[in-house]
mmCIF file of all heavy atoms in Angstrom:
data_model
loop_
_atom_site.group_PDB
_atom_site.id
_atom_site.type_symbol
_atom_site.label_atom_id
_atom_site.label_comp_id
_atom_site.label_asym_id
_atom_site.label_seq_id
_atom_site.Cartn_x
_atom_site.Cartn_y
_atom_site.Cartn_z
ATOM 1 N N LYS A 1 26.167 3.256 -35.758
ATOM 2 C CA LYS A 1 25.971 4.690 -35.600
ATOM 3 C C LYS A 1 27.113 5.476 -36.240
ATOM 4 O O LYS A 1 28.251 5.010 -36.280
ATOM 5 C CB LYS A 1 25.893 5.068 -34.109
ATOM 6 C CG LYS A 1 24.869 4.287 -33.314
ATOM 7 C CD LYS A 1 23.452 4.597 -33.750
ATOM 8 C CE LYS A 1 22.434 3.913 -32.849
ATOM 9 N NZ LYS A 1 21.047 4.168 -33.277
ATOM 10 N N LEU A 2 26.795 6.676 -36.725
ATOM 11 C CA LEU A 2 27.812 7.616 -37.188
ATOM 12 C C LEU A 2 28.089 8.599 -36.061
ATOM 13 O O LEU A 2 27.158 9.172 -35.481
ATOM 14 C CB LEU A 2 27.342 8.372 -38.429
ATOM 15 C CG LEU A 2 27.244 7.574 -39.732
ATOM 16 C CD1 LEU A 2 26.815 8.485 -40.879
ATOM 17 C CD2 LEU A 2 28.558 6.903 -40.065
ATOM 18 N N VAL A 3 29.367 8.810 -35.771
ATOM 19 C CA VAL A 3 29.768 9.583 -34.592
ATOM 20 C C VAL A 3 30.522 10.834 -35.014
ATOM 21 O O VAL A 3 31.382 10.788 -35.901
ATOM 22 C CB VAL A 3 30.653 8.733 -33.652
ATOM 23 C CG1 VAL A 3 31.054 9.536 -32.417
ATOM 24 C CG2 VAL A 3 29.918 7.468 -33.239
ATOM 25 N N ALA A 4 30.211 11.960 -34.352
ATOM 26 C CA ALA A 4 30.939 13.215 -34.565
ATOM 27 C C ALA A 4 31.476 13.709 -33.234
ATOM 28 O O ALA A 4 30.841 13.524 -32.194
ATOM 29 C CB ALA A 4 30.021 14.280 -35.176
ATOM 30 N N MET A 5 32.673 14.322 -33.267
ATOM 31 C CA MET A 5 33.237 14.891 -32.048
ATOM 32 C C MET A 5 34.171 16.036 -32.387
ATOM 33 O O MET A 5 34.563 16.216 -33.550
ATOM 34 C CB MET A 5 33.972 13.835 -31.228
ATOM 35 C CG MET A 5 35.328 13.420 -31.779
ATOM 36 S SD MET A 5 36.336 12.613 -30.516
ATOM 37 C CE MET A 5 36.740 14.009 -29.438
ATOM 38 N N THR A 6 34.498 16.827 -31.363
ATOM 39 C CA THR A 6 35.448 17.919 -31.523
ATOM 40 C C THR A 6 36.648 17.673 -30.624
ATOM 41 O O THR A 6 36.573 16.920 -29.654
ATOM 42 C CB THR A 6 34.819 19.270 -31.136
ATOM 43 O OG1 THR A 6 34.429 19.219 -29.755
ATOM 44 C CG2 THR A 6 33.623 19.586 -31.985
ATOM 45 N N GLY A 7 37.763 18.340 -30.958
ATOM 46 C CA GLY A 7 38.966 18.230 -30.132
ATOM 47 C C GLY A 7 40.013 19.212 -30.589
ATOM 48 O O GLY A 7 39.957 19.735 -31.706
ATOM 49 N N ASP A 8 40.991 19.482 -29.716
ATOM 50 C CA ASP A 8 42.056 20.412 -30.088
ATOM 51 C C ASP A 8 43.441 19.960 -29.668
ATOM 52 O O ASP A 8 44.438 20.515 -30.120
ATOM 53 C CB ASP A 8 41.782 21.804 -29.507
ATOM 54 C CG ASP A 8 41.719 21.794 -27.986
ATOM 55 O OD1 ASP A 8 41.850 20.700 -27.388
ATOM 56 O OD2 ASP A 8 41.552 22.871 -27.394
ATOM 57 N N GLY A 9 43.529 18.982 -28.801
ATOM 58 C CA GLY A 9 44.827 18.559 -28.290
ATOM 59 C C GLY A 9 45.363 17.320 -28.984
ATOM 60 O O GLY A 9 44.635 16.601 -29.670
ATOM 61 N N THR A 10 46.645 17.058 -28.780
ATOM 62 C CA THR A 10 47.261 15.849 -29.344
ATOM 63 C C THR A 10 46.581 14.610 -28.801
ATOM 64 O O THR A 10 46.430 13.605 -29.510
ATOM 65 C CB THR A 10 48.761 15.830 -29.014
ATOM 66 O OG1 THR A 10 49.371 17.008 -29.561
ATOM 67 C CG2 THR A 10 49.442 14.598 -29.582
ATOM 68 N N ASN A 11 46.142 14.666 -27.535
ATOM 69 C CA ASN A 11 45.474 13.501 -26.950
ATOM 70 C C ASN A 11 44.096 13.252 -27.563
ATOM 71 O O ASN A 11 43.511 12.190 -27.377
ATOM 72 C CB ASN A 11 45.346 13.663 -25.433
ATOM 73 C CG ASN A 11 44.488 14.847 -25.049
ATOM 74 O OD1 ASN A 11 44.333 15.784 -25.827
ATOM 75 N ND2 ASN A 11 43.918 14.808 -23.862
ATOM 76 N N ASP A 12 43.556 14.238 -28.298
ATOM 77 C CA ASP A 12 42.269 14.049 -28.980
ATOM 78 C C ASP A 12 42.434 13.431 -30.368
ATOM 79 O O ASP A 12 41.444 13.014 -30.978
ATOM 80 C CB ASP A 12 41.546 15.394 -29.137
ATOM 81 C CG ASP A 12 41.089 15.974 -27.812
ATOM 82 O OD1 ASP A 12 40.661 15.191 -26.954
ATOM 83 O OD2 ASP A 12 41.172 17.204 -27.640
ATOM 84 N N ALA A 13 43.666 13.414 -30.880
ATOM 85 C CA ALA A 13 43.900 12.984 -32.264
ATOM 86 C C ALA A 13 43.377 11.577 -32.559
ATOM 87 O O ALA A 13 42.727 11.363 -33.590
ATOM 88 C CB ALA A 13 45.386 13.099 -32.604
ATOM 89 N N PRO A 14 43.648 10.566 -31.698
ATOM 90 C CA PRO A 14 43.130 9.219 -32.015
ATOM 91 C C PRO A 14 41.609 9.187 -32.144
ATOM 92 O O PRO A 14 41.072 8.556 -33.056
ATOM 93 C CB PRO A 14 43.612 8.381 -30.821
ATOM 94 C CG PRO A 14 44.802 9.115 -30.289
ATOM 95 C CD PRO A 14 44.465 10.562 -30.477
ATOM 96 N N ALA A 15 40.899 9.874 -31.236
ATOM 97 C CA ALA A 15 39.442 9.875 -31.287
ATOM 98 C C ALA A 15 38.930 10.645 -32.498
ATOM 99 O O ALA A 15 37.931 10.256 -33.119
ATOM 100 C CB ALA A 15 38.874 10.472 -29.994
ATOM 101 N N LEU A 16 39.598 11.752 -32.861
ATOM 102 C CA LEU A 16 39.199 12.523 -34.043
ATOM 103 C C LEU A 16 39.347 11.678 -35.306
ATOM 104 O O LEU A 16 38.516 11.735 -36.208
ATOM 105 C CB LEU A 16 40.039 13.792 -34.165
ATOM 106 C CG LEU A 16 39.740 14.912 -33.174
ATOM 107 C CD1 LEU A 16 40.806 16.002 -33.269
ATOM 108 C CD2 LEU A 16 38.368 15.510 -33.432
ATOM 109 N N ALA A 17 40.433 10.911 -35.364
ATOM 110 C CA ALA A 17 40.665 10.057 -36.534
ATOM 111 C C ALA A 17 39.653 8.920 -36.604
ATOM 112 O O ALA A 17 39.245 8.507 -37.695
ATOM 113 C CB ALA A 17 42.088 9.507 -36.496
ATOM 114 N N GLN A 18 39.231 8.410 -35.456
ATOM 115 C CA GLN A 18 38.302 7.286 -35.423
ATOM 116 C C GLN A 18 36.874 7.717 -35.724
ATOM 117 O O GLN A 18 36.104 6.971 -36.329
ATOM 118 C CB GLN A 18 38.347 6.618 -34.041
ATOM 119 C CG GLN A 18 37.410 5.438 -33.872
ATOM 120 C CD GLN A 18 37.773 4.263 -34.761
ATOM 121 O OE1 GLN A 18 38.951 3.999 -34.996
ATOM 122 N NE2 GLN A 18 36.779 3.555 -35.275
ATOM 123 N N SER A 19 36.494 8.935 -35.330
ATOM 124 C CA SER A 19 35.114 9.384 -35.511
ATOM 125 C C SER A 19 34.812 9.621 -36.992
ATOM 126 O O SER A 19 35.704 9.865 -37.795
ATOM 127 C CB SER A 19 34.861 10.668 -34.711
ATOM 128 O OG SER A 19 35.750 11.678 -35.102
ATOM 129 N N ASP A 20 33.542 9.543 -37.341
ATOM 130 C CA ASP A 20 33.128 9.741 -38.730
ATOM 131 C C ASP A 20 33.237 11.210 -39.134
ATOM 132 O O ASP A 20 33.539 11.525 -40.275
ATOM 133 C CB ASP A 20 31.688 9.244 -38.918
ATOM 134 C CG ASP A 20 31.558 7.775 -38.591
ATOM 135 O OD1 ASP A 20 31.999 6.949 -39.410
ATOM 136 O OD2 ASP A 20 31.034 7.451 -37.515
ATOM 137 N N VAL A 21 32.948 12.108 -38.187
ATOM 138 C CA VAL A 21 33.122 13.547 -38.397
ATOM 139 C C VAL A 21 33.978 14.063 -37.249
ATOM 140 O O VAL A 21 33.500 14.165 -36.117
ATOM 141 C CB VAL A 21 31.766 14.288 -38.431
ATOM 142 C CG1 VAL A 21 31.988 15.781 -38.643
ATOM 143 C CG2 VAL A 21 30.875 13.727 -39.519
ATOM 144 N N GLY A 22 35.237 14.362 -37.539
ATOM 145 C CA GLY A 22 36.159 14.857 -36.528
ATOM 146 C C GLY A 22 36.474 16.317 -36.790
ATOM 147 O O GLY A 22 37.086 16.640 -37.807
ATOM 148 N N VAL A 23 36.025 17.201 -35.905
ATOM 149 C CA VAL A 23 36.216 18.640 -36.081
ATOM 150 C C VAL A 23 37.343 19.101 -35.168
ATOM 151 O O VAL A 23 37.198 19.110 -33.945
ATOM 152 C CB VAL A 23 34.932 19.428 -35.768
ATOM 153 C CG1 VAL A 23 35.136 20.904 -36.067
ATOM 154 C CG2 VAL A 23 33.766 18.883 -36.579
ATOM 155 N N ALA A 24 38.480 19.475 -35.766
ATOM 156 C CA ALA A 24 39.625 19.959 -35.001
ATOM 157 C C ALA A 24 39.583 21.471 -34.911
ATOM 158 O O ALA A 24 39.170 22.151 -35.854
ATOM 159 C CB ALA A 24 40.929 19.508 -35.658
ATOM 160 N N MET A 25 40.015 21.996 -33.775
ATOM 161 C CA MET A 25 40.078 23.442 -33.593
ATOM 162 C C MET A 25 41.321 23.997 -34.291
ATOM 163 O O MET A 25 42.407 23.406 -34.196
ATOM 164 C CB MET A 25 40.128 23.803 -32.107
ATOM 165 C CG MET A 25 38.956 23.305 -31.282
ATOM 166 S SD MET A 25 37.358 24.027 -31.744
ATOM 167 C CE MET A 25 36.656 22.705 -32.725
ATOM 168 N N ASN A 26 41.162 25.125 -34.970
ATOM 169 C CA ASN A 26 42.295 25.741 -35.651
ATOM 170 C C ASN A 26 43.391 26.155 -34.681
ATOM 171 O O ASN A 26 44.563 26.204 -35.033
ATOM 172 C CB ASN A 26 41.829 26.962 -36.448
ATOM 173 C CG ASN A 26 42.909 27.540 -37.331
ATOM 174 O OD1 ASN A 26 43.657 26.799 -37.972
ATOM 175 N ND2 ASN A 26 43.021 28.851 -37.368
ATOM 176 N N SER A 27 43.013 26.445 -33.431
ATOM 177 C CA SER A 27 43.991 26.844 -32.427
ATOM 178 C C SER A 27 44.685 25.647 -31.806
ATOM 179 O O SER A 27 45.593 25.808 -30.993
ATOM 180 C CB SER A 27 43.295 27.648 -31.319
ATOM 181 O OG SER A 27 42.292 26.857 -30.692
ATOM 182 N N GLY A 28 44.262 24.449 -32.177
ATOM 183 C CA GLY A 28 44.817 23.248 -31.580
ATOM 184 C C GLY A 28 46.128 22.824 -32.209
ATOM 185 O O GLY A 28 46.734 23.533 -33.014
ATOM 186 N N THR A 29 46.554 21.628 -31.846
ATOM 187 C CA THR A 29 47.836 21.116 -32.313
ATOM 188 C C THR A 29 47.735 20.644 -33.760
ATOM 189 O O THR A 29 46.653 20.351 -34.267
ATOM 190 C CB THR A 29 48.306 19.950 -31.437
ATOM 191 O OG1 THR A 29 47.354 18.884 -31.542
ATOM 192 C CG2 THR A 29 48.425 20.374 -29.975
ATOM 193 N N GLN A 30 48.893 20.549 -34.398
ATOM 194 C CA GLN A 30 48.943 20.063 -35.771
ATOM 195 C C GLN A 30 48.446 18.624 -35.854
ATOM 196 O O GLN A 30 47.784 18.236 -36.815
ATOM 197 C CB GLN A 30 50.383 20.159 -36.299
ATOM 198 C CG GLN A 30 50.513 19.935 -37.795
ATOM 199 C CD GLN A 30 49.871 21.048 -38.617
ATOM 200 O OE1 GLN A 30 49.730 22.166 -38.131
ATOM 201 N NE2 GLN A 30 49.498 20.750 -39.840
ATOM 202 N N ALA A 31 48.749 17.830 -34.826
ATOM 203 C CA ALA A 31 48.303 16.429 -34.812
ATOM 204 C C ALA A 31 46.785 16.344 -34.837
ATOM 205 O O ALA A 31 46.210 15.504 -35.541
ATOM 206 C CB ALA A 31 48.849 15.731 -33.575
ATOM 207 N N ALA A 32 46.120 17.218 -34.079
ATOM 208 C CA ALA A 32 44.657 17.210 -34.048
ATOM 209 C C ALA A 32 44.088 17.609 -35.403
ATOM 210 O O ALA A 32 43.135 17.000 -35.906
ATOM 211 C CB ALA A 32 44.149 18.148 -32.952
ATOM 212 N N LYS A 33 44.677 18.634 -36.032
ATOM 213 C CA LYS A 33 44.166 19.105 -37.326
ATOM 214 C C LYS A 33 44.372 18.066 -38.423
ATOM 215 O O LYS A 33 43.567 17.948 -39.341
ATOM 216 C CB LYS A 33 44.829 20.432 -37.697
ATOM 217 C CG LYS A 33 44.366 21.592 -36.823
ATOM 218 C CD LYS A 33 44.683 22.941 -37.418
ATOM 219 C CE LYS A 33 46.123 23.324 -37.259
ATOM 220 N NZ LYS A 33 46.385 24.719 -37.659
ATOM 221 N N GLU A 34 45.457 17.319 -38.340
ATOM 222 C CA GLU A 34 45.697 16.281 -39.341
ATOM 223 C C GLU A 34 44.796 15.072 -39.120
ATOM 224 O O GLU A 34 44.467 14.362 -40.064
ATOM 225 C CB GLU A 34 47.169 15.868 -39.305
ATOM 226 C CG GLU A 34 48.117 16.952 -39.816
ATOM 227 C CD GLU A 34 49.576 16.547 -39.714
ATOM 228 O OE1 GLU A 34 49.849 15.468 -39.136
ATOM 229 O OE2 GLU A 34 50.448 17.297 -40.197
ATOM 230 N N ALA A 35 44.399 14.832 -37.876
ATOM 231 C CA ALA A 35 43.572 13.661 -37.579
ATOM 232 C C ALA A 35 42.117 13.886 -37.964
ATOM 233 O O ALA A 35 41.434 12.961 -38.400
ATOM 234 C CB ALA A 35 43.665 13.321 -36.094
ATOM 235 N N GLY A 36 41.611 15.125 -37.807
ATOM 236 C CA GLY A 36 40.213 15.396 -38.113
ATOM 237 C C GLY A 36 39.986 15.547 -39.606
ATOM 238 O O GLY A 36 40.916 15.704 -40.388
ATOM 239 N N ASN A 37 38.715 15.485 -40.006
ATOM 240 C CA ASN A 37 38.391 15.729 -41.418
ATOM 241 C C ASN A 37 37.716 17.079 -41.620
ATOM 242 O O ASN A 37 37.254 17.391 -42.706
ATOM 243 C CB ASN A 37 37.522 14.609 -41.994
ATOM 244 C CG ASN A 37 36.334 14.265 -41.118
ATOM 245 O OD1 ASN A 37 35.876 15.091 -40.332
ATOM 246 N ND2 ASN A 37 35.835 13.044 -41.252
ATOM 247 N N MET A 38 37.658 17.890 -40.558
ATOM 248 C CA MET A 38 37.223 19.279 -40.636
ATOM 249 C C MET A 38 38.056 20.102 -39.672
ATOM 250 O O MET A 38 38.518 19.592 -38.654
ATOM 251 C CB MET A 38 35.735 19.432 -40.280
ATOM 252 C CG MET A 38 34.765 18.863 -41.276
ATOM 253 S SD MET A 38 33.065 19.341 -40.846
ATOM 254 C CE MET A 38 32.158 18.360 -42.050
ATOM 255 N N VAL A 39 38.234 21.380 -40.013
ATOM 256 C CA VAL A 39 38.932 22.309 -39.123
ATOM 257 C C VAL A 39 38.041 23.530 -38.923
ATOM 258 O O VAL A 39 37.603 24.150 -39.891
ATOM 259 C CB VAL A 39 40.295 22.745 -39.699
ATOM 260 C CG1 VAL A 39 40.951 23.777 -38.781
ATOM 261 C CG2 VAL A 39 41.212 21.541 -39.881
ATOM 262 N N ASP A 40 37.774 23.844 -37.660
ATOM 263 C CA ASP A 40 36.984 25.030 -37.333
ATOM 264 C C ASP A 40 37.933 26.212 -37.154
ATOM 265 O O ASP A 40 38.710 26.266 -36.211
ATOM 266 C CB ASP A 40 36.189 24.783 -36.052
ATOM 267 C CG ASP A 40 35.423 26.021 -35.596
ATOM 268 O OD1 ASP A 40 35.218 26.914 -36.446
ATOM 269 O OD2 ASP A 40 35.058 26.090 -34.409
ATOM 270 N N LEU A 41 37.867 27.161 -38.082
ATOM 271 C CA LEU A 41 38.789 28.294 -38.057
ATOM 272 C C LEU A 41 38.541 29.204 -36.864
ATOM 273 O O LEU A 41 39.453 29.911 -36.421
ATOM 274 C CB LEU A 41 38.655 29.100 -39.352
ATOM 275 C CG LEU A 41 38.873 28.318 -40.648
ATOM 276 C CD1 LEU A 41 38.714 29.233 -41.850
ATOM 277 C CD2 LEU A 41 40.224 27.657 -40.665
ATOM 278 N N ASP A 42 37.316 29.206 -36.330
ATOM 279 C CA ASP A 42 36.997 30.040 -35.180
ATOM 280 C C ASP A 42 37.376 29.384 -33.860
ATOM 281 O O ASP A 42 37.307 30.018 -32.812
ATOM 282 C CB ASP A 42 35.503 30.362 -35.145
ATOM 283 C CG ASP A 42 35.074 31.232 -36.314
ATOM 284 O OD1 ASP A 42 35.918 31.976 -36.820
ATOM 285 O OD2 ASP A 42 33.901 31.152 -36.716
ATOM 286 N N SER A 43 37.734 28.100 -33.920
ATOM 287 C CA SER A 43 38.063 27.344 -32.698
ATOM 288 C C SER A 43 36.929 27.437 -31.674
ATOM 289 O O SER A 43 37.155 27.662 -30.487
ATOM 290 C CB SER A 43 39.384 27.838 -32.092
ATOM 291 O OG SER A 43 40.447 27.665 -32.994
ATOM 292 N N ASN A 44 35.718 27.264 -32.158
ATOM 293 C CA ASN A 44 34.529 27.326 -31.305
ATOM 294 C C ASN A 44 33.941 25.927 -31.197
ATOM 295 O O ASN A 44 33.362 25.417 -32.162
ATOM 296 C CB ASN A 44 33.505 28.288 -31.908
ATOM 297 C CG ASN A 44 32.206 28.316 -31.116
ATOM 298 O OD1 ASN A 44 32.106 27.755 -30.036
ATOM 299 N ND2 ASN A 44 31.198 28.956 -31.666
#
């Protein structure tokens, strides 16, 4: 399966990096934004 998830905290970074589509919130931590492969500028 291909998995997608969202997150904004440092504790979400490992899961964002592991998922096929990791959407980090722009309001979140730098670690989360670096781990995901997308950034939601609206943090929605």
Side-chain angles (χ1 to χ4, degrees):
K1 307 294 186 182
L2 289 182
V3 181
M5 75 161 289
T6 61
D8 61 358
T10 301
N11 63 337
D12 292 322
L16 287 170
Q18 179 65 36
S19 58
D20 300 285
V21 180
V23 184
M25 302 296 101
N26 188 42
S27 60
T29 62
Q30 191 67 24
K33 289 197 283 189
E34 291 177 354
N37 49 24
M38 291 189 187
V39 177
D40 176 19
L41 304 180
D42 294 333
S43 299
N44 176 9

